[in-house]
Amino acid sequence: MEELKPSTVIMAALSTLSPPHLSDLSHSIFSDVHTSRRRLTFILSSPTLFSFTLRHLNSLSLSHKSLLVARFLLSALRRLSRPFQTPSKSFPHHPSTAFVTPRDLDAAVLLLLLCDVRQHNPAALETPITHWRSTLCRIYSDSLLTISGIATGGSGAIIPYIETVGRCWKFVGFVVSRNGGKARREVAASPVAVVELPSVAVGGCMAVECVICKEEMNEGRDACQLPCEHLFHWLCILPWLRKRNTCPCCRFQLPTDDIFGEIQRLWDILVKVGSPSDGD
């Protein structure tokens, strides 16, 4: 499944949604697309703001540009994966991974447009940089007229949105690998997610063993229950979650404040939902 195109993975997951859930997601995507396009229109219509945003974008390093794209990707994956998370396994958003300054938001919106133009019409950016605004305005206006569904808020907004998410996924993966990063690495669970974990009283006739310390839990004592329903001693699980966000038993992933770790967690949800039920 890892070899499939990002758009294929996402479409496979969305194909499992019921019509009402797909409709709700479509409206959510349309609202997000509308907000981004309105911001981009404002940038392109103002020579001063465009020049300011472009200078800011050019001043950023490749790793900072990757971070901008990663934040957009994280926001999109949260939206796309939300229908597949049950209330018992969902957590609130984390400000540390969601916050973007207005200046960086403008830079991210313009960067996504430049990446799209570079892929589909690279010759357009071979003109002097002083002509870029007028060139981008023309291309942007043409795209608004040709993308079906955007004007009416129909499901046609999903396809270009998914294509953008796919390009962001590839770009972030490329930058991470180029910088020597690993596709998968251990990341700590978010403190917000840990605080949300419930305490449950251990009881019944069956002994419950904490797999971390290999000792039985005393009946009547509170234990920590993860969303996957596995139980652990609080004193055992807390040090564990400070180093990694996975369940020691089944590898269920809790949210993390690491942006790239959270992207991978949400991506895994989509991959799992869209995978064939063949027992592999």
Side-chain angles (χ1 to χ4, degrees):
M1 194 64 169
E2 294 289 343
E3 298 179 355
L4 293 177
K5 293 181 178 180
S7 57
T8 302
V9 172
I10 297 173
M11 290 301 295
L14 297 188
S15 67
T16 66
L17 290 177
S18 65
H21 285 145
L22 185 59
S23 177
D24 290 343
L25 179 61
S26 298
H27 286 299
S28 176
I29 288 176
F30 170 72
S31 177
D32 184 58
V33 170
H34 177 70
T35 299
S36 297
R37 287 185 171 273
R38 183 172 56 185
R39 190 62 200 169
L40 185 56
T41 299
F42 186 50
I43 295 171
L44 293 177
S45 63
S46 170
T48 300
L49 181 58
F50 177 81
S51 177
F52 176 79
T53 304
L54 187 60
R55 282 201 305 270
H56 173 56
L57 187 58
N58 287 334
S59 71
L60 302 178
S61 64
L62 180 60
S63 60
H64 197 154
K65 289 185 177 73
S66 174
L67 190 59
L68 290 180
V69 176
R71 290 187 184 279
F72 169 84
L73 177 59
L74 177 56
S75 175
L77 290 179
R78 279 175 172 160
R79 178 173 287 102
L80 292 170
S81 64
R82 190 175 298 126
F84 308 109
Q85 300 184 66
T86 61
S88 63
K89 296 186 179 182
S90 62
F91 292 85
H93 289 176
H94 310 294
S96 59
T97 56
F99 178 75
V100 182
T101 65
R103 185 173 68 163
D104 279 351
L105 178 60
D106 286 350
V109 170
L110 183 58
L111 176 60
L112 291 174
L113 175 62
L114 290 171
C115 290
D116 186 56
V117 173
R118 177 70 69 181
Q119 179 179 6
H120 295 97
N121 189 9
L125 299 180
E126 294 177 0
T127 58
I129 197 170
T130 53
H131 297 164
W132 276 18
R133 190 180 73 87
S134 59
T135 300
L136 292 175
C137 281
R138 184 180 66 255
I139 294 174
Y140 177 64
S141 298
D142 291 343
S143 69
L144 289 179
L145 295 175
T146 56
I147 296 178
S148 62
I150 292 294
T152 61
S155 59
I158 292 183
I159 301 302
Y161 185 83
I162 291 176
E163 291 175 347
T164 299
V165 171
R167 288 195 294 272
C168 291
W169 172 260
K170 292 180 179 179
F171 177 75
V172 169
F174 168 76
V175 173
V176 170
S177 61
R178 181 175 177 176
N179 292 337
K182 297 180 180 179
R184 291 182 181 274
R185 55 192 174 84
E186 289 188 345
V187 293
S190 167
V192 175
V194 175
V195 169
E196 292 285 325
L197 295 175
S199 292
V200 296
V202 179
C205 59
M206 296 184 62
V208 179
E209 180 187 77
C210 174
V211 301
I212 298 177
C213 67
K214 303 300 181 181
E215 295 182 1
E216 290 185 7
M217 301 181 195
N218 295 328
E219 185 173 351
R221 296 293 299 273
D222 283 349
C224 173
Q225 184 179 55
L226 299 189
C228 52
E229 299 185 356
H230 289 117
L231 302 177
F232 307 92
H233 291 125
W234 274 107
L235 292 180
C236 294
I237 196 63
L238 290 179
W240 176 281
L241 295 178
R242 281 196 288 266
K243 296 180 179 179
R244 52 190 71 83
N245 68 326
T246 54
C247 170
C249 293
C250 65
R251 311 303 294 174
F252 172 84
Q253 298 180 71
L254 274 71
T256 174
D257 285 343
D258 182 275
I259 292 177
F260 299 101
E262 186 69 357
I263 286 173
Q264 185 65 58
R265 182 184 77 88
L266 297 176
W267 181 257
D268 287 345
I269 292 175
L270 295 176
V271 170
K272 183 177 180 180
V273 171
S275 298
S277 303
D278 53 8
D280 293 342

PDB file of all heavy atoms in Angstrom, residues 6-40:
ATOM      1  N   PRO A   6      -0.573   8.833  -3.487  1.00  0.00           N
ATOM      2  CA  PRO A   6      -1.360   9.416  -2.386  1.00  0.00           C
ATOM      3  C   PRO A   6      -2.826   9.599  -2.747  1.00  0.00           C
ATOM      4  O   PRO A   6      -3.709   9.333  -1.924  1.00  0.00           O
ATOM      5  CB  PRO A   6      -0.660  10.758  -2.140  1.00  0.00           C
ATOM      6  CG  PRO A   6       0.749  10.541  -2.592  1.00  0.00           C
ATOM      7  CD  PRO A   6       0.645   9.611  -3.768  1.00  0.00           C
ATOM      8  N   SER A   7      -3.090  10.059  -3.969  1.00  0.00           N
ATOM      9  CA  SER A   7      -4.482  10.269  -4.373  1.00  0.00           C
ATOM     10  C   SER A   7      -5.259   8.957  -4.390  1.00  0.00           C
ATOM     11  O   SER A   7      -6.449   8.922  -4.053  1.00  0.00           O
ATOM     12  CB  SER A   7      -4.543  10.924  -5.757  1.00  0.00           C
ATOM     13  OG  SER A   7      -3.861  10.142  -6.722  1.00  0.00           O
ATOM     14  N   THR A   8      -4.584   7.855  -4.746  1.00  0.00           N
ATOM     15  CA  THR A   8      -5.229   6.549  -4.767  1.00  0.00           C
ATOM     16  C   THR A   8      -5.582   6.101  -3.349  1.00  0.00           C
ATOM     17  O   THR A   8      -6.668   5.557  -3.097  1.00  0.00           O
ATOM     18  CB  THR A   8      -4.318   5.503  -5.429  1.00  0.00           C
ATOM     19  OG1 THR A   8      -3.993   5.926  -6.754  1.00  0.00           O
ATOM     20  CG2 THR A   8      -4.994   4.142  -5.487  1.00  0.00           C
ATOM     21  N   VAL A   9      -4.664   6.323  -2.421  1.00  0.00           N
ATOM     22  CA  VAL A   9      -4.903   5.962  -1.023  1.00  0.00           C
ATOM     23  C   VAL A   9      -6.113   6.721  -0.475  1.00  0.00           C
ATOM     24  O   VAL A   9      -6.997   6.144   0.166  1.00  0.00           O
ATOM     25  CB  VAL A   9      -3.655   6.273  -0.170  1.00  0.00           C
ATOM     26  CG1 VAL A   9      -3.963   6.093   1.314  1.00  0.00           C
ATOM     27  CG2 VAL A   9      -2.499   5.374  -0.577  1.00  0.00           C
ATOM     28  N   ILE A  10      -6.142   8.032  -0.737  1.00  0.00           N
ATOM     29  CA  ILE A  10      -7.225   8.863  -0.201  1.00  0.00           C
ATOM     30  C   ILE A  10      -8.562   8.482  -0.826  1.00  0.00           C
ATOM     31  O   ILE A  10      -9.577   8.345  -0.121  1.00  0.00           O
ATOM     32  CB  ILE A  10      -6.924  10.350  -0.441  1.00  0.00           C
ATOM     33  CG1 ILE A  10      -5.659  10.763   0.324  1.00  0.00           C
ATOM     34  CG2 ILE A  10      -8.107  11.218   0.003  1.00  0.00           C
ATOM     35  CD1 ILE A  10      -5.189  12.166   0.004  1.00  0.00           C
ATOM     36  N   MET A  11      -8.584   8.299  -2.141  1.00  0.00           N
ATOM     37  CA  MET A  11      -9.832   7.944  -2.812  1.00  0.00           C
ATOM     38  C   MET A  11     -10.343   6.586  -2.340  1.00  0.00           C
ATOM     39  O   MET A  11     -11.554   6.385  -2.198  1.00  0.00           O
ATOM     40  CB  MET A  11      -9.630   7.949  -4.330  1.00  0.00           C
ATOM     41  CG  MET A  11      -9.425   9.327  -4.933  1.00  0.00           C
ATOM     42  SD  MET A  11     -10.808  10.456  -4.610  1.00  0.00           S
ATOM     43  CE  MET A  11     -12.128   9.641  -5.529  1.00  0.00           C
ATOM     44  N   ALA A  12      -9.431   5.641  -2.089  1.00  0.00           N
ATOM     45  CA  ALA A  12      -9.847   4.324  -1.601  1.00  0.00           C
ATOM     46  C   ALA A  12     -10.512   4.454  -0.235  1.00  0.00           C
ATOM     47  O   ALA A  12     -11.508   3.782   0.051  1.00  0.00           O
ATOM     48  CB  ALA A  12      -8.644   3.394  -1.521  1.00  0.00           C
ATOM     49  N   ALA A  13      -9.969   5.326   0.611  1.00  0.00           N
ATOM     50  CA  ALA A  13     -10.566   5.532   1.935  1.00  0.00           C
ATOM     51  C   ALA A  13     -11.920   6.222   1.817  1.00  0.00           C
ATOM     52  O   ALA A  13     -12.901   5.813   2.470  1.00  0.00           O
ATOM     53  CB  ALA A  13      -9.618   6.360   2.808  1.00  0.00           C
ATOM     54  N   LEU A  14     -12.006   7.253   0.985  1.00  0.00           N
ATOM     55  CA  LEU A  14     -13.265   7.986   0.842  1.00  0.00           C
ATOM     56  C   LEU A  14     -14.364   7.124   0.232  1.00  0.00           C
ATOM     57  O   LEU A  14     -15.548   7.357   0.479  1.00  0.00           O
ATOM     58  CB  LEU A  14     -13.050   9.239  -0.006  1.00  0.00           C
ATOM     59  CG  LEU A  14     -12.090  10.299   0.550  1.00  0.00           C
ATOM     60  CD1 LEU A  14     -12.137  11.559  -0.307  1.00  0.00           C
ATOM     61  CD2 LEU A  14     -12.416  10.625   2.002  1.00  0.00           C
ATOM     62  N   SER A  15     -13.972   6.125  -0.560  1.00  0.00           N
ATOM     63  CA  SER A  15     -14.977   5.260  -1.194  1.00  0.00           C
ATOM     64  C   SER A  15     -15.733   4.419  -0.174  1.00  0.00           C
ATOM     65  O   SER A  15     -16.781   3.845  -0.493  1.00  0.00           O
ATOM     66  CB  SER A  15     -14.305   4.339  -2.229  1.00  0.00           C
ATOM     67  OG  SER A  15     -13.444   3.405  -1.590  1.00  0.00           O
ATOM     68  N   THR A  16     -15.210   4.327   1.040  1.00  0.00           N
ATOM     69  CA  THR A  16     -15.885   3.545   2.081  1.00  0.00           C
ATOM     70  C   THR A  16     -16.912   4.364   2.859  1.00  0.00           C
ATOM     71  O   THR A  16     -17.642   3.807   3.685  1.00  0.00           O
ATOM     72  CB  THR A  16     -14.855   2.973   3.083  1.00  0.00           C
ATOM     73  OG1 THR A  16     -14.228   4.057   3.811  1.00  0.00           O
ATOM     74  CG2 THR A  16     -13.765   2.185   2.359  1.00  0.00           C
ATOM     75  N   LEU A  17     -16.974   5.674   2.604  1.00  0.00           N
ATOM     76  CA  LEU A  17     -17.899   6.536   3.337  1.00  0.00           C
ATOM     77  C   LEU A  17     -19.326   6.390   2.814  1.00  0.00           C
ATOM     78  O   LEU A  17     -19.542   6.172   1.616  1.00  0.00           O
ATOM     79  CB  LEU A  17     -17.465   8.000   3.221  1.00  0.00           C
ATOM     80  CG  LEU A  17     -16.189   8.416   3.951  1.00  0.00           C
ATOM     81  CD1 LEU A  17     -15.875   9.879   3.652  1.00  0.00           C
ATOM     82  CD2 LEU A  17     -16.339   8.213   5.464  1.00  0.00           C
ATOM     83  N   SER A  18     -20.264   6.564   3.691  1.00  0.00           N
ATOM     84  CA  SER A  18     -21.665   6.583   3.290  1.00  0.00           C
ATOM     85  C   SER A  18     -21.959   7.911   2.593  1.00  0.00           C
ATOM     86  O   SER A  18     -21.223   8.894   2.796  1.00  0.00           O
ATOM     87  CB  SER A  18     -22.572   6.439   4.513  1.00  0.00           C
ATOM     88  OG  SER A  18     -22.424   7.563   5.376  1.00  0.00           O
ATOM     89  N   PRO A  19     -22.997   7.982   1.762  1.00  0.00           N
ATOM     90  CA  PRO A  19     -23.315   9.251   1.077  1.00  0.00           C
ATOM     91  C   PRO A  19     -23.459  10.448   2.013  1.00  0.00           C
ATOM     92  O   PRO A  19     -22.942  11.517   1.704  1.00  0.00           O
ATOM     93  CB  PRO A  19     -24.634   8.919   0.352  1.00  0.00           C
ATOM     94  CG  PRO A  19     -24.524   7.449   0.070  1.00  0.00           C
ATOM     95  CD  PRO A  19     -23.841   6.872   1.280  1.00  0.00           C
ATOM     96  N   PRO A  20     -24.135  10.311   3.180  1.00  0.00           N
ATOM     97  CA  PRO A  20     -24.237  11.478   4.074  1.00  0.00           C
ATOM     98  C   PRO A  20     -22.875  11.942   4.591  1.00  0.00           C
ATOM     99  O   PRO A  20     -22.596  13.146   4.653  1.00  0.00           O
ATOM    100  CB  PRO A  20     -25.126  10.975   5.212  1.00  0.00           C
ATOM    101  CG  PRO A  20     -25.919   9.859   4.613  1.00  0.00           C
ATOM    102  CD  PRO A  20     -24.972   9.192   3.661  1.00  0.00           C
ATOM    103  N   HIS A  21     -22.012  10.991   4.962  1.00  0.00           N
ATOM    104  CA  HIS A  21     -20.692  11.363   5.472  1.00  0.00           C
ATOM    105  C   HIS A  21     -19.836  11.983   4.364  1.00  0.00           C
ATOM    106  O   HIS A  21     -19.080  12.932   4.621  1.00  0.00           O
ATOM    107  CB  HIS A  21     -19.991  10.134   6.049  1.00  0.00           C
ATOM    108  CG  HIS A  21     -20.522   9.715   7.378  1.00  0.00           C
ATOM    109  ND1 HIS A  21     -20.608   8.388   7.772  1.00  0.00           N
ATOM    110  CD2 HIS A  21     -21.021  10.432   8.414  1.00  0.00           C
ATOM    111  CE1 HIS A  21     -21.115   8.325   8.984  1.00  0.00           C
ATOM    112  NE2 HIS A  21     -21.391   9.547   9.389  1.00  0.00           N
ATOM    113  N   LEU A  22     -19.958  11.457   3.149  1.00  0.00           N
ATOM    114  CA  LEU A  22     -19.202  12.011   2.036  1.00  0.00           C
ATOM    115  C   LEU A  22     -19.686  13.419   1.711  1.00  0.00           C
ATOM    116  O   LEU A  22     -18.885  14.306   1.385  1.00  0.00           O
ATOM    117  CB  LEU A  22     -19.337  11.114   0.806  1.00  0.00           C
ATOM    118  CG  LEU A  22     -18.499  11.516  -0.413  1.00  0.00           C
ATOM    119  CD1 LEU A  22     -17.017  11.539  -0.066  1.00  0.00           C
ATOM    120  CD2 LEU A  22     -18.763  10.563  -1.583  1.00  0.00           C
ATOM    121  N   SER A  23     -20.984  13.633   1.831  1.00  0.00           N
ATOM    122  CA  SER A  23     -21.538  14.968   1.584  1.00  0.00           C
ATOM    123  C   SER A  23     -21.033  15.964   2.626  1.00  0.00           C
ATOM    124  O   SER A  23     -20.653  17.093   2.288  1.00  0.00           O
ATOM    125  CB  SER A  23     -23.067  14.907   1.612  1.00  0.00           C
ATOM    126  OG  SER A  23     -23.633  16.191   1.455  1.00  0.00           O
ATOM    127  N   ASP A  24     -21.009  15.542   3.895  1.00  0.00           N
ATOM    128  CA  ASP A  24     -20.506  16.423   4.955  1.00  0.00           C
ATOM    129  C   ASP A  24     -19.039  16.770   4.716  1.00  0.00           C
ATOM    130  O   ASP A  24     -18.621  17.925   4.896  1.00  0.00           O
ATOM    131  CB  ASP A  24     -20.664  15.755   6.319  1.00  0.00           C
ATOM    132  CG  ASP A  24     -22.113  15.659   6.764  1.00  0.00           C
ATOM    133  OD1 ASP A  24     -22.949  16.385   6.191  1.00  0.00           O
ATOM    134  OD2 ASP A  24     -22.403  14.854   7.670  1.00  0.00           O
ATOM    135  N   LEU A  25     -18.259  15.784   4.308  1.00  0.00           N
ATOM    136  CA  LEU A  25     -16.848  16.022   4.044  1.00  0.00           C
ATOM    137  C   LEU A  25     -16.678  16.957   2.854  1.00  0.00           C
ATOM    138  O   LEU A  25     -15.810  17.841   2.862  1.00  0.00           O
ATOM    139  CB  LEU A  25     -16.134  14.690   3.771  1.00  0.00           C
ATOM    140  CG  LEU A  25     -14.640  14.780   3.459  1.00  0.00           C
ATOM    141  CD1 LEU A  25     -13.882  15.401   4.627  1.00  0.00           C
ATOM    142  CD2 LEU A  25     -14.078  13.397   3.132  1.00  0.00           C
ATOM    143  N   SER A  26     -17.508  16.789   1.832  1.00  0.00           N
ATOM    144  CA  SER A  26     -17.433  17.652   0.656  1.00  0.00           C
ATOM    145  C   SER A  26     -17.674  19.104   1.019  1.00  0.00           C
ATOM    146  O   SER A  26     -16.962  20.008   0.565  1.00  0.00           O
ATOM    147  CB  SER A  26     -18.456  17.205  -0.398  1.00  0.00           C
ATOM    148  OG  SER A  26     -18.194  15.894  -0.843  1.00  0.00           O
ATOM    149  N   HIS A  27     -18.664  19.344   1.860  1.00  0.00           N
ATOM    150  CA  HIS A  27     -18.964  20.710   2.285  1.00  0.00           C
ATOM    151  C   HIS A  27     -17.822  21.286   3.120  1.00  0.00           C
ATOM    152  O   HIS A  27     -17.484  22.467   3.012  1.00  0.00           O
ATOM    153  CB  HIS A  27     -20.268  20.742   3.077  1.00  0.00           C
ATOM    154  CG  HIS A  27     -21.490  20.571   2.228  1.00  0.00           C
ATOM    155  ND1 HIS A  27     -21.834  21.456   1.221  1.00  0.00           N
ATOM    156  CD2 HIS A  27     -22.449  19.611   2.223  1.00  0.00           C
ATOM    157  CE1 HIS A  27     -22.960  21.062   0.643  1.00  0.00           C
ATOM    158  NE2 HIS A  27     -23.348  19.935   1.227  1.00  0.00           N
ATOM    159  N   SER A  28     -17.210  20.447   3.957  1.00  0.00           N
ATOM    160  CA  SER A  28     -16.083  20.896   4.769  1.00  0.00           C
ATOM    161  C   SER A  28     -14.894  21.257   3.881  1.00  0.00           C
ATOM    162  O   SER A  28     -14.236  22.275   4.093  1.00  0.00           O
ATOM    163  CB  SER A  28     -15.686  19.801   5.758  1.00  0.00           C
ATOM    164  OG  SER A  28     -14.545  20.181   6.498  1.00  0.00           O
ATOM    165  N   ILE A  29     -14.635  20.427   2.876  1.00  0.00           N
ATOM    166  CA  ILE A  29     -13.530  20.700   1.942  1.00  0.00           C
ATOM    167  C   ILE A  29     -13.804  21.959   1.149  1.00  0.00           C
ATOM    168  O   ILE A  29     -12.918  22.802   0.948  1.00  0.00           O
ATOM    169  CB  ILE A  29     -13.330  19.492   1.008  1.00  0.00           C
ATOM    170  CG1 ILE A  29     -12.720  18.319   1.778  1.00  0.00           C
ATOM    171  CG2 ILE A  29     -12.438  19.866  -0.181  1.00  0.00           C
ATOM    172  CD1 ILE A  29     -12.574  17.054   0.962  1.00  0.00           C
ATOM    173  N   PHE A  30     -15.047  22.108   0.682  1.00  0.00           N
ATOM    174  CA  PHE A  30     -15.387  23.295  -0.091  1.00  0.00           C
ATOM    175  C   PHE A  30     -15.176  24.565   0.725  1.00  0.00           C
ATOM    176  O   PHE A  30     -14.659  25.563   0.229  1.00  0.00           O
ATOM    177  CB  PHE A  30     -16.845  23.223  -0.553  1.00  0.00           C
ATOM    178  CG  PHE A  30     -17.341  24.518  -1.151  1.00  0.00           C
ATOM    179  CD1 PHE A  30     -16.897  24.932  -2.382  1.00  0.00           C
ATOM    180  CD2 PHE A  30     -18.235  25.323  -0.452  1.00  0.00           C
ATOM    181  CE1 PHE A  30     -17.335  26.131  -2.934  1.00  0.00           C
ATOM    182  CE2 PHE A  30     -18.672  26.522  -0.982  1.00  0.00           C
ATOM    183  CZ  PHE A  30     -18.227  26.930  -2.230  1.00  0.00           C
ATOM    184  N   SER A  31     -15.559  24.522   2.007  1.00  0.00           N
ATOM    185  CA  SER A  31     -15.368  25.685   2.863  1.00  0.00           C
ATOM    186  C   SER A  31     -13.895  26.020   3.013  1.00  0.00           C
ATOM    187  O   SER A  31     -13.497  27.200   2.961  1.00  0.00           O
ATOM    188  CB  SER A  31     -15.990  25.406   4.239  1.00  0.00           C
ATOM    189  OG  SER A  31     -15.775  26.486   5.121  1.00  0.00           O
ATOM    190  N   ASP A  32     -13.066  25.011   3.163  1.00  0.00           N
ATOM    191  CA  ASP A  32     -11.626  25.224   3.302  1.00  0.00           C
ATOM    192  C   ASP A  32     -11.031  25.763   2.005  1.00  0.00           C
ATOM    193  O   ASP A  32     -10.206  26.681   2.021  1.00  0.00           O
ATOM    194  CB  ASP A  32     -10.948  23.912   3.685  1.00  0.00           C
ATOM    195  CG  ASP A  32      -9.466  24.080   3.953  1.00  0.00           C
ATOM    196  OD1 ASP A  32      -9.114  24.873   4.840  1.00  0.00           O
ATOM    197  OD2 ASP A  32      -8.656  23.430   3.277  1.00  0.00           O
ATOM    198  N   VAL A  33     -11.440  25.179   0.878  1.00  0.00           N
ATOM    199  CA  VAL A  33     -10.951  25.641  -0.424  1.00  0.00           C
ATOM    200  C   VAL A  33     -11.364  27.086  -0.670  1.00  0.00           C
ATOM    201  O   VAL A  33     -10.581  27.908  -1.163  1.00  0.00           O
ATOM    202  CB  VAL A  33     -11.475  24.723  -1.552  1.00  0.00           C
ATOM    203  CG1 VAL A  33     -11.188  25.330  -2.926  1.00  0.00           C
ATOM    204  CG2 VAL A  33     -10.832  23.345  -1.445  1.00  0.00           C
ATOM    205  N   HIS A  34     -12.612  27.403  -0.326  1.00  0.00           N
ATOM    206  CA  HIS A  34     -13.113  28.761  -0.525  1.00  0.00           C
ATOM    207  C   HIS A  34     -12.300  29.776   0.281  1.00  0.00           C
ATOM    208  O   HIS A  34     -11.954  30.854  -0.223  1.00  0.00           O
ATOM    209  CB  HIS A  34     -14.585  28.826  -0.117  1.00  0.00           C
ATOM    210  CG  HIS A  34     -15.184  30.204  -0.227  1.00  0.00           C
ATOM    211  ND1 HIS A  34     -15.427  30.819  -1.434  1.00  0.00           N
ATOM    212  CD2 HIS A  34     -15.566  31.078   0.740  1.00  0.00           C
ATOM    213  CE1 HIS A  34     -15.931  32.023  -1.213  1.00  0.00           C
ATOM    214  NE2 HIS A  34     -16.022  32.204   0.095  1.00  0.00           N
ATOM    215  N   THR A  35     -11.972  29.419   1.525  1.00  0.00           N
ATOM    216  CA  THR A  35     -11.183  30.320   2.373  1.00  0.00           C
ATOM    217  C   THR A  35      -9.793  30.542   1.798  1.00  0.00           C
ATOM    218  O   THR A  35      -9.298  31.680   1.741  1.00  0.00           O
ATOM    219  CB  THR A  35     -11.068  29.738   3.792  1.00  0.00           C
ATOM    220  OG1 THR A  35     -12.377  29.600   4.362  1.00  0.00           O
ATOM    221  CG2 THR A  35     -10.222  30.633   4.678  1.00  0.00           C
ATOM    222  N   SER A  36      -9.159  29.461   1.344  1.00  0.00           N
ATOM    223  CA  SER A  36      -7.813  29.579   0.764  1.00  0.00           C
ATOM    224  C   SER A  36      -7.833  30.387  -0.518  1.00  0.00           C
ATOM    225  O   SER A  36      -6.951  31.231  -0.746  1.00  0.00           O
ATOM    226  CB  SER A  36      -7.241  28.186   0.495  1.00  0.00           C
ATOM    227  OG  SER A  36      -7.079  27.461   1.690  1.00  0.00           O
ATOM    228  N   ARG A  37      -8.832  30.159  -1.350  1.00  0.00           N
ATOM    229  CA  ARG A  37      -8.912  30.881  -2.619  1.00  0.00           C
ATOM    230  C   ARG A  37      -9.222  32.363  -2.401  1.00  0.00           C
ATOM    231  O   ARG A  37      -8.733  33.223  -3.137  1.00  0.00           O
ATOM    232  CB  ARG A  37      -9.962  30.238  -3.532  1.00  0.00           C
ATOM    233  CG  ARG A  37      -9.499  28.901  -4.105  1.00  0.00           C
ATOM    234  CD  ARG A  37     -10.491  28.342  -5.100  1.00  0.00           C
ATOM    235  NE  ARG A  37      -9.926  27.185  -5.768  1.00  0.00           N
ATOM    236  CZ  ARG A  37      -9.177  27.232  -6.849  1.00  0.00           C
ATOM    237  NH1 ARG A  37      -8.894  28.404  -7.400  1.00  0.00           N
ATOM    238  NH2 ARG A  37      -8.694  26.131  -7.384  1.00  0.00           N
ATOM    239  N   ARG A  38     -10.010  32.648  -1.414  1.00  0.00           N
ATOM    240  CA  ARG A  38     -10.309  34.053  -1.112  1.00  0.00           C
ATOM    241  C   ARG A  38      -9.035  34.769  -0.655  1.00  0.00           C
ATOM    242  O   ARG A  38      -8.783  35.918  -1.043  1.00  0.00           O
ATOM    243  CB  ARG A  38     -11.382  34.121  -0.029  1.00  0.00           C
ATOM    244  CG  ARG A  38     -11.831  35.545   0.304  1.00  0.00           C
ATOM    245  CD  ARG A  38     -13.019  35.530   1.236  1.00  0.00           C
ATOM    246  NE  ARG A  38     -12.722  34.782   2.452  1.00  0.00           N
ATOM    247  CZ  ARG A  38     -13.616  34.534   3.408  1.00  0.00           C
ATOM    248  NH1 ARG A  38     -14.877  34.948   3.252  1.00  0.00           N
ATOM    249  NH2 ARG A  38     -13.274  33.860   4.485  1.00  0.00           N
ATOM    250  N   ARG A  39      -8.226  34.070   0.159  1.00  0.00           N
ATOM    251  CA  ARG A  39      -6.966  34.660   0.615  1.00  0.00           C
ATOM    252  C   ARG A  39      -6.002  34.844  -0.545  1.00  0.00           C
ATOM    253  O   ARG A  39      -5.328  35.866  -0.665  1.00  0.00           O
ATOM    254  CB  ARG A  39      -6.334  33.762   1.687  1.00  0.00           C
ATOM    255  CG  ARG A  39      -5.144  34.399   2.399  1.00  0.00           C
ATOM    256  CD  ARG A  39      -5.567  35.643   3.120  1.00  0.00           C
ATOM    257  NE  ARG A  39      -4.428  36.522   3.399  1.00  0.00           N
ATOM    258  CZ  ARG A  39      -4.555  37.766   3.839  1.00  0.00           C
ATOM    259  NH1 ARG A  39      -5.769  38.269   4.034  1.00  0.00           N
ATOM    260  NH2 ARG A  39      -3.502  38.499   4.067  1.00  0.00           N
ATOM    261  N   LEU A  40      -5.942  33.851  -1.431  1.00  0.00           N
ATOM    262  CA  LEU A  40      -5.051  33.941  -2.580  1.00  0.00           C
ATOM    263  C   LEU A  40      -5.482  35.056  -3.520  1.00  0.00           C
ATOM    264  O   LEU A  40      -4.645  35.774  -4.089  1.00  0.00           O
ATOM    265  CB  LEU A  40      -5.027  32.596  -3.320  1.00  0.00           C
ATOM    266  CG  LEU A  40      -4.052  32.473  -4.497  1.00  0.00           C
ATOM    267  CD1 LEU A  40      -2.629  32.793  -4.056  1.00  0.00           C
ATOM    268  CD2 LEU A  40      -4.130  31.075  -5.094  1.00  0.00           C
TER     269      LEU A  40
END
